[in-house]
Amino acid sequence: MTQVIGGMGALGSVLAEVATKQGATLRLNSPVASITKTDDSVSGVTLASGEAISAKLVISSADPRTTFRDLLGYQQMEVGMARRVEHYRSRSGTAKLHLALSALPQFAGLTDRQLAERLVITPSMDGMERALNPMKYNEISTQHTFDISIPSVADASLAPTDQHVLTAIVHYVPYAPDLGWEAARPQLLAQLLAELEAYAPGIGSLVTASELIVPSDLEASHGMTGGNWNHGELSIDQALMMRPFPGSTQYATAVDGLYLCGAGAHPGGGLQGLPGRNAAKEILKRGALS
Ligand SMILES: Cc1cc2nc3c(=O)[nH]c(=O)nc-3n(C[C@H](O)[C@H](O)[C@H](O)COP(=O)(O)OP(=O)(O)OC[C@H]3O[C@@H](n4cnc5c(N)ncnc54)[C@H](O)[C@@H]3O)c2cc1C
């Protein structure tokens, strides 16, 4: 498994350092309140502080809904485009489970060395179908798919000596459970630990701390509409040359000077950098900077 030593935050720090050396100015903790448009093209941004910054191009890595609906505003686009933004699907059914463990858990049939790999635990195809149903009806499922990493196996700096951290992507989680997240969160956590126990007997007794991040948490903390870290479903009508939606594909949008460079553009999310690289190439190809 490819892993960033020092944790994912280390990747951000390196990228920031490289960008600064190349002459970029990074402004942290400076949320953009709106993208400004003058006549037919964008003309800059206004920060939440009220500061206005003029720019020939605005290249957004916020998700498409945030970019078009919240920052640009529907009054700045044609009705057909506003409708597409409104119909763009970005509700997530995926949570993230973090466990601090007092020792390395034992997964039946796996050696300690194999625990450095990505472990996918999923029900059968029929089981997946059944697991999905409660999610559709805003309930907690009794079966989940886990995509587990124990990064401390390869990077001891992530936990105290002989202790470990486990992180799992968990599928089939309702975006808005009928119970409300205050009651549903402990229920889901207990359910997930019970499911893990079947594969890693005794894991529950190793847990010294836990964190369950549900889609609405990500929506609140990172401004990802629907809590979707792909910035929108990667289903066929929202993928490839149709991402995020017709009329605003291939990084250039229907609004002159406004580009997308994040996971809402092709090929979607993950720490791969491809939407940004492709957006940069498209901007250079169009000579949009000159
Ligand atoms: C808990 C978690 C773990 C993950 N682990 C992995 C992993 O191990 N490997 C992997 O490949 N992927 C992982 N992912 C997915 C990956 O993080 C995302 O797909 C990826 O970060 C998307 O990158 P992005 O730059 O397009 O968007 P983001 O990372 O979402 O960046 C968009 C940025 O825009 C900012 N923003 C939004 N609105 C505004 C505004 N109005 N003004 C200013 N800034 C704004 C946000 O704060 C955010 O910093 C993980 C995601 C999560 C949530």
Side-chain angles (χ1 to χ4, degrees):
M1 185 175 78
T2 310
Q3 186 177 324
V4 178
I5 299 300
M8 282 303 179
L11 179 64
S13 304
V14 169
L15 289 175
E17 199 182 311
V18 172
T20 308
K21 275 192 190 144
Q22 293 293 321
T25 302
L26 305 185
R27 297 272 301 265
L28 305 180
N29 304 313
S30 310
V32 173
S34 63
I35 295 171
T36 41
K37 189 177 161 211
T38 311
D39 299 329
D40 283 338
S41 55
V42 296
S43 51
V45 296
T46 302
L47 303 185
S49 64
E51 183 186 350
I53 300 174
S54 60
K56 190 170 175 189
L57 301 182
V58 174
I59 306 163
S60 174
S61 76
D63 69 82
R65 273 273 187 101
T66 300
T67 301
F68 295 119
R69 182 192 60 186
D70 303 339
L71 300 181
L72 186 64
Y74 287 154
Q75 71 280 11
Q76 301 286 9
M77 63 191 78
E78 289 179 359
V79 120
M81 181 177 174
R83 189 178 293 127
R84 286 187 175 124
V85 177
E86 206 48 33
H87 288 174
Y88 182 67
R89 298 183 307 281
S90 48
R91 272 194 167 193
S92 172
T94 304
K96 198 88 159 89
L97 173 67
H98 294 150
L99 299 178
L101 302 170
S102 57
L104 191 61
Q106 299 300 308
F107 278 77
L110 296 184
T111 62
D112 285 1
R113 203 180 152 79
Q114 285 172 318
L115 293 182
E117 302 299 328
R118 209 154 178 158
L119 315 176
V120 178
I121 299 174
T122 188
S124 62
M125 289 299 276
D126 281 351
M128 284 167 77
E129 197 66 40
R130 280 193 295 275
L132 196 73
N133 284 334
M135 181 190 114
K136 284 194 302 198
Y137 300 111
N138 303 324
E139 292 164 2
I140 302 295
S141 182
T142 52
Q143 295 181 89
H144 294 86
T145 286
F146 294 84
D147 183 342
I148 299 174
S149 308
I150 310 178
S152 49
V153 173
D155 182 357
S157 71
L158 297 177
T161 311
D162 294 333
Q163 299 188 30
H164 286 275
V165 285
L166 179 152
T167 167
I169 296 169
V170 180
H171 297 289
Y172 317 127
V173 169
Y175 171 78
D178 286 342
L179 269 181
W181 272 117
E182 199 180 333
R185 192 186 301 265
Q187 184 183 325
L188 177 59
L189 178 61
Q191 170 65 35
L192 297 177
L193 287 173
E195 286 174 53
L196 283 178
E197 197 71 30
Y199 297 92
I203 193 170
S205 63
L206 304 178
V207 176
T208 55
S210 64
E211 179 186 38
L212 182 58
I213 304 172
V214 299
S216 52
D217 296 331
L218 293 172
E219 187 162 29
S221 62
H222 288 72
M224 298 168 173
T225 308
N228 190 314
W229 65 61
N230 283 310
H231 290 189
E233 273 180 27
L234 275 164
S235 43
I236 191 67
D237 60 327
Q238 300 192 158
L240 303 166
M241 67 289 181
M242 289 179 291
R243 190 161 183 81
F245 43 75
S248 291
T249 58
Q250 309 293 310
Y251 317 99
T253 71
V255 180
D256 226 17
L258 177 59
Y259 288 79
L260 293 177
C261 67
H266 174 73
L271 299 166
Q272 48 164 322
L274 279 174
R277 178 175 180 271
N278 292 353
K281 286 175 83 173
E282 181 64 21
I283 289 163
L284 293 173
K285 192 173 87 186
R286 289 171 166 245
L289 282 171
S290 50

